[in-house]
Amino acid sequence: MPTDCISYQNSGYFSPLMNDYLDEKSNVQSLYNRFPKLENFEAQITEKKANFNNASRATLVSVLKKQYSAIQSSQLTLQNIESLKVDNTFSITTGHQLNLFSGPLYFLYKIISTINLTQELKAKYPAHNFVPIYWMATEDHDFEEINYFNFRGKKIRWNKESNGPVGRLSTEGLSDLFEVFQQELGSSTNATTLKKIFQEAYLQHNNLADATRHLANALFGDKGLVIIDADDATLKRNFIPFIKEELLEQTSHKAVLETTDKLKDYNIQVNPREINLFYIEDQLRERIIFENGKYTINHTKKEFSENEILELLDSNPEKFSPNVIMRPLYQEVILPNLCYIGGGGEIAYWLELKSFFNKVNITFPMLLVRNSVLLASDKQVKKIDKLQLSWNDLFAKQGDLINRVTLQNSAFPINLTPQKEQLAKQFSDLYDLAKKTDNSFTGAVKAQEAKQTKGLENLEKRLLKAQKRKFSEEIERTTNLQNELFPNKSLQERQANFSEFYLEHGPELITKLISRLKPLKQTFEIVTL
């Protein structure tokens, strides 16, 4: 079995900004508070405890109890909710869209990273409590990003119109999709379990937020996971001062622009608006724009004077929805949070926000890149051994992998480097001779060198091509294996749904992932099932 270790930086799937962050490069250190190492959490706890409004804990617990009132939750989850009342309890948070039936596999990895980190912290700091939080992105409105999941190469899509926040979206119509899905699942014991989870989540709840809460609780409730829907008027009341500042001062726009200037050598993940808030109703989520002395709601006829919009904020804070720039601040205002766990793209946009947090005097959380995993079967691992491949080989681009396999199987060197070196020596002698004549002869030597070098390069390409034909069977087996592990030439965790693997392995899938994933370890975990 291959045992090589693939770091995130060497995987080929992380951006230059993420690689520099993971390497703790000096040029990005000003963009975060503390790097996520176990020993750094002590200072983060001290800072958050001093900076967090403990009066809001009671509000948080009250809202969570209300949201869990209709859910059969574990004793551990209930204890975790209750513990949030006391000032020695802190949260570790991940967030995710309300993807249908969880969407891609990394939904599991985010939550397991969060659960496992709380356990590591409890072992290190036993005087404190640590609660794993899943923040549901109920206020997002990009339905096309979440209305499907992939199962064995097929896209299971929910065809429906949606304009408002997705958490409020009715689950009506999902019974038809379930009929299609259950035909794909078959009739095994694990298939029956998956059908039950889907039915109870999506066919017995009226909106997507409640359905997703049920799904996450069914998978992770026994691990103490606490699921929060922040599309809530009571929680937003605690956020009113920050919404007001955004409306009147546009603090986030100014602060984030300062930071993006520092990131000019990288791809900017998100650009701030002048006002980073939406106006929402059940079927509406549109930007708030300030122009000509009025606050207007994009693509509508709604408009407000300054006094009118502040009165609306005071009476109906639930009508104001933070965008990607403001949502992290909302999270950190209402949660006693120490660390946010997300994918590379998420962490990249969080790195734009520290100066904004500083200006509004809210502690910036530690930022941890979630675990990444490649799931492989015993059969696939045996194939890898037989083909004498390493995991490093399989993470390579397919063209590079084909070249490696060809070189590995060839009985002689395919590159013509010795011949090129000999040619270079011959022409070096000719250049010495050319110096004793005129420039025209030097030009002729240079032209001949270029011609013969190119000829050797062409021969080298033809030799490689001939060897690829000779080893076509080995190459086909290798590329077929890579395509199984990296569907659509992408990471498995971004393509496949957990149900594919649950169907084969049942609850063991989650049990094994929880036992294997180490959130503070920056390497791809290869998990054999």
Side-chain angles (χ1 to χ4, degrees):
M1 178 177 177
T3 57
D4 50 320
C5 185
I6 308 294
S7 72
Y8 295 155
Q9 296 94 312
N10 292 332
S11 69
Y13 286 95
F14 282 74
S15 69
L17 175 57
M18 276 302 91
N19 289 337
D20 287 352
Y21 173 66
L22 292 167
D23 288 332
E24 300 180 68
K25 291 282 184 70
S26 59
N27 62 307
V28 296
Q29 287 180 0
S30 66
L31 305 178
Y32 58 90
N33 199 3
R34 296 174 180 89
F35 197 76
K37 297 176 181 177
L38 203 54
E39 62 271 20
N40 288 346
F41 277 89
E42 184 173 7
Q44 189 74 17
I45 289 168
T46 301
E47 183 181 346
K48 185 67 178 184
K49 189 171 185 177
N51 189 246
F52 187 67
N53 178 11
N54 279 313
S56 63
R57 287 179 179 271
T59 301
L60 174 63
V61 171
S62 173
V63 169
L64 286 169
K65 284 183 175 180
K66 183 179 177 183
Q67 293 184 357
Y68 270 83
S69 61
I71 287 190
Q72 189 174 354
S73 47
S74 71
Q75 192 59 38
L76 182 54
T77 292
L78 295 176
Q79 287 173 5
N80 279 340
I81 292 173
E82 198 66 34
S83 76
L84 286 165
K85 282 183 179 177
V86 295
D87 67 0
N88 70 333
T89 299
F90 298 91
S91 62
I92 304 297
T93 303
T94 193
H96 195 66
Q97 294 174 293
L98 306 192
N99 296 73
L100 187 61
F101 211 44
S102 81
L105 263 168
Y106 65 79
F107 171 81
L108 299 190
Y109 308 153
K110 277 185 169 183
I111 292 176
I112 292 171
S113 298
T114 305
I115 291 168
N116 284 359
L117 181 56
T118 61
Q119 293 174 351
E120 284 192 51
L121 289 170
K122 185 63 177 176
K124 176 73 172 175
Y125 305 103
H128 297 89
N129 303 312
F130 303 94
V131 176
I133 301 276
Y134 162 39
W135 179 290
M136 297 192 295
T138 52
E139 295 179 55
D140 281 3
H141 63 280
D142 197 340
F143 184 61
E144 292 300 314
E145 288 188 0
I146 67 166
N147 69 344
Y148 68 93
F149 62 95
N150 296 316
F151 182 79
R152 291 179 169 172
K154 294 183 179 179
K155 186 169 281 192
I156 311 291
R157 184 184 293 276
W158 181 17
N159 294 311
K160 189 181 180 76
E161 291 293 321
S162 174
N163 297 306
V166 294
R168 303 182 191 182
L169 184 64
S170 168
T171 53
E172 185 180 356
L174 278 172
S175 55
D176 293 337
L177 182 145
F178 175 65
E179 291 302 318
V180 174
F181 183 39
Q182 71 171 340
Q183 292 298 320
E184 297 288 341
L185 287 171
S187 56
S188 67
T189 301
N190 291 335
T192 301
T193 301
L194 286 168
K195 291 173 191 176
K196 183 173 183 286
I197 293 172
F198 190 101
Q199 283 179 303
E200 291 181 349
Y202 294 96
L203 306 188
Q204 295 179 19
H205 291 89
N206 295 327
N207 62 57
L208 196 53
D210 291 344
T212 305
R213 185 188 293 108
H214 181 96
L215 172 64
N217 186 67
L219 295 174
F220 296 107
D222 63 336
K223 308 303 178 189
L225 182 68
V226 174
I227 304 150
I228 187 167
D229 177 2
D231 184 10
D232 182 276
T234 305
L235 292 176
K236 284 188 177 173
R237 190 155 294 283
N238 288 342
F239 196 52
I240 284 177
F242 302 92
I243 298 175
K244 183 176 181 180
E245 180 169 345
E246 181 67 9
L247 290 169
L248 300 181
E249 305 294 337
Q250 291 90 56
T251 305
S252 66
H253 181 253
K254 300 165 189 171
V256 175
L257 280 182
E258 290 174 13
T259 303
T260 54
D261 187 56
K262 297 178 185 177
L263 289 167
K264 57 181 178 293
D265 294 332
Y266 302 100
N267 288 328
I268 302 299
Q269 195 70 17
V270 293
N271 287 298
R273 304 280 190 184
E274 290 185 354
I275 294 179
N276 291 286
L277 295 166
F278 288 94
Y279 176 93
I280 60 170
E281 295 176 353
D282 286 351
Q283 296 298 321
L284 178 70
R285 188 175 189 249
E286 288 287 352
R287 286 170 48 213
I288 299 173
I289 300 169
F290 184 70
E291 55 187 6
N292 301 322
K294 291 280 188 180
Y295 293 89
T296 62
I297 309 306
N298 201 34
H299 297 134
T300 76
K301 294 181 180 179
K302 295 178 183 291
E303 66 174 29
F304 305 90
S305 66
E306 181 179 300
N307 285 337
E308 288 169 339
I309 203 161
L310 293 179
E311 286 173 5
L312 179 66
L313 173 60
D314 188 57
S315 62
N316 296 93
E318 72 278 4
K319 289 186 178 292
F320 295 81
S321 177
N323 76 351
V324 66
I325 296 289
M326 287 288 287
R327 189 213 65 80
L329 179 67
Y330 180 33
Q331 171 187 297
E332 297 303 309
V333 166
I334 67 174
L335 293 178
N337 196 48
L338 301 176
C339 176
Y340 183 76
I341 298 178
E346 289 176 280
I347 301 303
Y349 77 69
W350 273 87
L351 290 172
E352 298 179 31
L353 303 178
K354 185 171 181 288
S355 61
F356 172 40
F357 273 67
N358 290 344
K359 287 196 172 171
V360 295
N361 194 30
I362 295 295
T363 296
F364 196 62
M366 296 166 80
L367 303 174
L368 178 61
V369 178
R370 64 166 172 81
N371 283 119
S372 279
V373 181
L374 180 62
L375 299 175
S377 66
D378 285 329
K379 185 177 178 182
Q380 287 168 329
V381 170
K382 286 174 183 174
K383 285 182 183 178
I384 294 169
D385 285 338
K386 189 173 182 180
L387 291 165
Q388 297 182 303
L389 296 169
S390 67
W391 290 116
N392 191 60
D393 291 330
L394 289 163
F395 269 82
K397 302 298 182 187
Q398 193 157 97
D400 295 336
L401 175 59
I402 290 169
N403 288 343
R404 287 186 199 181
V405 171
T406 307
L407 292 168
Q408 177 182 298
N409 283 278
S410 181
F412 52 84
I414 293 176
N415 70 73
L416 300 180
T417 300
Q419 290 79 2
K420 290 178 187 175
E421 289 173 349
Q422 186 177 353
L423 183 69
K425 186 177 183 308
Q426 289 174 342
F427 275 94
S428 176
D429 295 340
L430 282 172
Y431 280 120
D432 288 339
L433 181 62
K435 289 176 185 176
K436 299 173 183 178
T437 61
D438 59 32
N439 287 337
S440 63
F441 185 67
T442 302
V445 171
K446 188 177 289 188
Q448 193 62 224
E449 180 185 25
K451 181 179 178 181
Q452 292 192 33
T453 301
K454 187 172 181 61
L456 280 176
E457 289 171 350
N458 288 335
L459 285 173
E460 192 174 59
K461 288 176 184 176
R462 292 187 66 175
L463 179 59
L464 178 61
K465 194 172 180 180
Q467 290 297 86
K468 284 179 182 178
R469 284 197 299 269
K470 182 176 180 180
F471 300 114
S472 59
E473 188 177 329
E474 290 86 348
I475 289 170
E476 184 178 9
R477 290 205 303 269
T478 300
T479 54
N480 285 345
L481 177 60
Q482 189 188 46
N483 291 338
E484 289 175 15
L485 294 168
F486 295 82
N488 296 323
K489 296 182 173 58
S490 178
L491 288 178
Q492 176 194 75
E493 63 184 32
R494 296 178 186 170
Q495 298 290 319
N497 181 261
F498 85 96
S499 58
E500 286 187 35
F501 300 91
Y502 196 100
L503 186 62
E504 184 73 21
H505 304 283
E508 180 200 350
L509 169 66
I510 291 174
T511 301
K512 194 156 194 176
L513 287 169
I514 287 175
S515 71
R516 289 288 303 276
L517 301 195
K518 308 297 179 191
L520 298 175
K521 185 180 171 187
Q522 297 172 10
T523 57
F524 259 88
E525 193 68 41
I526 313 295
V527 176
T528 305
L529 295 170

